[in-house]
């Protein structure tokens, strides 16, 4: 293991100092402050010092060297990382393909393949400092050329399913769908400069998201299973979709960081939480991807360690507006008016979270704006539906056959039926559901926590982006979102966000019933296995107690 050479990182930034003042005035939570200040390039230690605190994030334990670990998680088919659309894909390849930036449990960002970064005062220019001494497992040096090549590929919005293009903002030329000329500049072997036409505070959070796995510059666009080349300490030894994936330490690879385990196996036990619990009792695995519903208490009762995280994760029960009758806003409004979100929270996830508001910005997001509570009126909802000519329509609500989707959609369907609507439930196995998740007319999709509310809106609701499963398109919304991406002041951004949230409610874009508390369980003796707000599992951190 190498001890990486470090170069000084900035200890302050004008906007970070403003955020520190807002934190001290009670306008930002500590997590919000850390998200914003470390995204500008401050280290966690420097950010904490600005607000007069010692770092609160517990240092990771140092496990013993060696051993094997088994993780319960779905094993999905891999593909070009830019087009990853489920967290499980990022988790299973993270031992091979690493990231420029890591998002930590306390809300801070830290460099991985980047040693650090800085921004100018108005956040239109990012200087990315590549970590020296990193090599690919084929012997090639990892350099600024690799970073620039990945940025260029991320900007290619012509690649079907490339959600990274939505994370690159103004770096993508709207006319060509490619990286903007002069936007990505290789300064030297260890420095890349990103030049944006307008301010954008979401760039670093986007680099930490799971589709941002870094590929060798000559292998971008390929499936990592086809080449097994990465900067991580591990490589794929076996991969069977729907069954298991095994990674082993790569021999003779001089890994830049720390890795402890000899091998890790992801075991796919399907989507039924009862099957996970039975397998745990039988000693078939050591760590859950997530624990849900009543099984949170059951795993704890049999002696497994519990870790939890408060997040902006949810299950969006959404309408695809390309399909009738969901192209009719009155139909969508009627359904929203019929559904009591408090009931869905209780029945869908055992009350393990907080009630949503039918827009996709969570109260823990820095820019969240409090709006008047929504009303539930089942009689008015049915009258609205009849006036729209769909009083007799049979609505088919599709979900994945798992505890989260099945129970939540059952609760939504029951609320609609209570209003007099006709609803058919269709429950699909993962092998079917995941293949066409973007195209179902009325269905539910699990959405991860994101550090900033604008990230979610950029990914899911901006016109034409890869993950816009609702097919929502609204010029006012897009224009306001452009503004929000560049506003650093918390109060000013919140004013714009209020209107964005209102538009989502007025247009009845989706049912967002709750914000989830996430849980994970692991056997005693497993180290550094805490639940991550974004479901991330980095096998480099995992190990067994000494």
């Amino acid at each position: 293991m190498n001890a990486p050479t470090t170069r000084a990182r900035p200890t302050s930034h004008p906007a970070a100092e403003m955020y520190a003042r807002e934190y001290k005035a009670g306008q930002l939570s500590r997590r919000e402050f850390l998200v914003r200040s470390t995204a500008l390039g401050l280290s966690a230690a420097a950010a904490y010092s600005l607000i007069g605190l010692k770092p609160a994030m517990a240092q990771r334990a140092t496990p013993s060297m060696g051993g094997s670990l088994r993780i319960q998680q779905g094993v999905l088919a891999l593909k070009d990382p830019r087009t990853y659309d489920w967290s499980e894909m990022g988790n299973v390849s993270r031992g091979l393909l690493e990231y420029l930036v890591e998002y930590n449990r306390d809300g801070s960002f830290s460099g991985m393949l980047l040693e650090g970064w800085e921004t100018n005062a108005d956040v239109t220019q990012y200087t990315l400092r590549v970590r020296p001494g990193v090599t690919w497992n084929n012997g090639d040096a990892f350099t600024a050329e690799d970073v620039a090549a990945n940025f260029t590929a991320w900007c290619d919005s012509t690649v079907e399913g490339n959600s990274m293009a939505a994370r690159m903002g103004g770096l993508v030329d709207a006319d060509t769908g490619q990286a903007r000329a002069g936007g990505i500049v290789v300064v030297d072997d260890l420095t890349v400069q990103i030049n944006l036409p307008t301010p954008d505070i979401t760039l670093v959070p986007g680099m930490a998201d799971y589709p941002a796995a870094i590929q060798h510059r000559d292998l971008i666009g390929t499936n990592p299973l086809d080449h097994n080349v990465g900067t991580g300490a591990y490589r794929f030894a076996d991969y069977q979709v729907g069954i298991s994936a095994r990674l082993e330490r790569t021999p003779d690879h001089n890994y830049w960081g720390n890795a402890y385990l000899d091998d890790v196996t992801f075991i796919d036990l399907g989507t039924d939480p009862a099957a996970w619990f039975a397998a745990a009792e039988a000693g078939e695995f050591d760590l859950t991807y997530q624990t849900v519903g009543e099984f949170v208490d059951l795993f704890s009762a049999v002696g497994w360690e519990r870790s939890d995280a408060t997040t902006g994760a949810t299950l969006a029960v959404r309408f695809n507006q390309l399909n009738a009758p969901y192209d009719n806003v009155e139909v969508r409004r009627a359904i929203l008016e019929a559904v009591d979100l408090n009931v869905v929270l209780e029945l869908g996830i055992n009350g393990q979270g907080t009630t949503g508001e039918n827009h996709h910005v969570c109260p823990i997001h820095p820019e969240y704006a409090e709006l008047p509570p929504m009303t539930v009126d089942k009689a008015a909802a049915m009258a609205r539906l009849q006036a729209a000519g769909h009083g007799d329509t049979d609505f088919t609500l599709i979900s994945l056959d798992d505890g989260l989707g099945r129970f939540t959609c059952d609760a939504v369907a029951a609320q609609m039926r209570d209003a007099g609507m006709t609803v058919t439930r269709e429950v699909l196995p993962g092998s079917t559901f995941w293949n066409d998740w973007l195209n179902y007319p009325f269905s539910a999709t699990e959405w991860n926590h994101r550090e900033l509310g604008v990230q979610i809106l950029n990914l899911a609701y901006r016109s034409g982006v890869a993950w816009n499963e609702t097919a929502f398109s609204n010029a006012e919304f897009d224009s306001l979102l452009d503004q929000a991406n560049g506003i650093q002041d918390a109060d000013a951004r919140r004013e714009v966000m209020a209107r964005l949230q209102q538009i989502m409610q007025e247009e009845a874009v989706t049912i967002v019933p709750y914000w989830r508390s996430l849980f994970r369980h692991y056997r005693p003796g497993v180290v550094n296995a805490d639940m991550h707000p974004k479901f991330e599992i980095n096998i480099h951190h995992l190990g067994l107690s000494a």
Side-chain angles (χ1 to χ4, degrees), residues 14-42:
E17 293 173 358
M18 175 182 68
Y19 299 152
R21 292 191 296 272
E22 291 173 345
Y23 166 80
K24 293 173 181 177
Q27 295 172 285
L28 294 178
S29 70
R30 185 174 63 185
R31 174 176 291 275
E32 293 166 356
F33 167 74
L34 290 170
V35 167
R36 290 173 161 226
S37 58
T38 58
L40 294 171
L42 273 70

Side-chain angles (χ1 to χ4, degrees), residues 21 24-25 54 78 108 170 178 188 284 310 314 328 456 467-468 508:
R21 292 191 296 272
K24 293 173 181 177
K54 293 181 179 180
L78 291 188
S108 64
Q178 305 291 327
D188 56 41
E284 295 178 12
T310 300
T314 190
N328 187 327
I456 289 283
W467 284 1
N468 187 340

Side-chain angles (χ1 to χ4, degrees), residues 316-339:
V317 184
R318 53 78 170 175
F319 318 101
N320 188 320
Q321 296 181 25
L322 296 179
N323 296 270
Y326 309 108
D327 56 345
N328 187 327
V329 67
E330 289 302 304
V331 170
R332 303 195 303 269
R333 287 174 178 165
I335 294 173
L336 262 63
E337 196 170 15
V339 176

Side-chain angles (χ1 to χ4, degrees), residues 252-334:
D252 303 321
H253 175 43
N254 190 22
Y255 179 56
W256 66 269
N258 297 311
Y260 306 97
L261 295 164
D262 294 325
D263 61 273
V264 176
T265 302
F266 292 86
I267 301 172
D268 193 328
L269 296 170
T271 55
D272 184 357
W276 309 345
F277 184 67
E281 287 194 300
E284 295 178 12
F285 67 90
D286 309 297
L287 169 70
T288 65
Y289 169 72
Q290 66 170 320
T291 316
V292 298
E294 62 183 322
F295 295 96
V296 173
D297 292 334
L298 290 175
F299 270 92
S300 297
V302 297
W304 281 46
E305 301 287 342
R306 166 180 151 173
S307 176
D308 57 79
T310 300
T311 77
T314 190
L315 188 87
V317 184
R318 53 78 170 175
F319 318 101
N320 188 320
Q321 296 181 25
L322 296 179
N323 296 270
Y326 309 108
D327 56 345
N328 187 327
V329 67
E330 289 302 304
V331 170
R332 303 195 303 269
R333 287 174 178 165

Side-chain angles (χ1 to χ4, degrees), residues 175-227:
D175 294 328
T176 65
Q178 305 291 327
R180 184 179 298 277
I184 305 164
V185 178
V186 175
V187 178
D188 56 41
D189 285 350
L190 296 176
T191 310
V192 177
Q193 189 178 90
I194 303 298
N195 300 305
L196 298 162
T198 56
D200 190 348
I201 62 173
T202 70
L203 192 71
V204 169
M207 290 191 283
D209 218 350
Y210 65 86
I214 296 295
Q215 292 258 58
H216 188 289
R217 58 187 174 276
D218 296 333
L219 298 170
I220 293 172
T222 62
N223 186 328
L225 288 172
D226 294 338
H227 55 72

Side-chain angles (χ1 to χ4, degrees), residues 95-180:
L96 175 73
L97 301 179
E98 297 186 286
Y99 293 73
L100 298 177
V101 176
E102 184 172 38
Y103 176 57
N104 302 306
R105 272 173 50 87
D106 69 345
S108 64
F109 293 97
S110 55
M112 294 294 286
L113 293 178
L114 289 185
E115 184 182 55
W117 59 93
E118 295 89 42
T119 72
N120 62 357
D122 65 356
V123 202
T124 56
Q125 185 179 86
Y126 288 75
T127 300
L128 311 180
R129 296 183 283 108
V130 178
R131 187 176 297 279
V134 178
T135 59
W136 297 95
N137 60 17
N138 67 357
D140 292 346
F142 173 73
T143 72
E145 294 290 349
D146 291 295
V147 175
N150 277 271
F151 264 94
T152 299
W154 291 342
C155 289
D156 188 351
S157 62
T158 68
V159 173
E160 184 177 358
N162 174 19
S163 68
M164 286 303 297
R167 294 171 175 85
M168 295 295 100
L171 197 57
V172 179
D173 187 312
D175 294 328
T176 65
Q178 305 291 327
R180 184 179 298 277

Side-chain angles (χ1 to χ4, degrees), residues 38 70 94 124 148 181 184 224 230 237 259 285 312 318 329 342 346 358 360 405 446 466 523 537:
T38 58
R70 302 160 300 171
R94 194 172 269 110
T124 56
I184 305 164
F285 67 90
R318 53 78 170 175
V329 67
N342 293 300
E346 290 300 321
N358 289 333
H360 211 143
E446 185 174 354
R523 288 181 175 278
I537 297 174

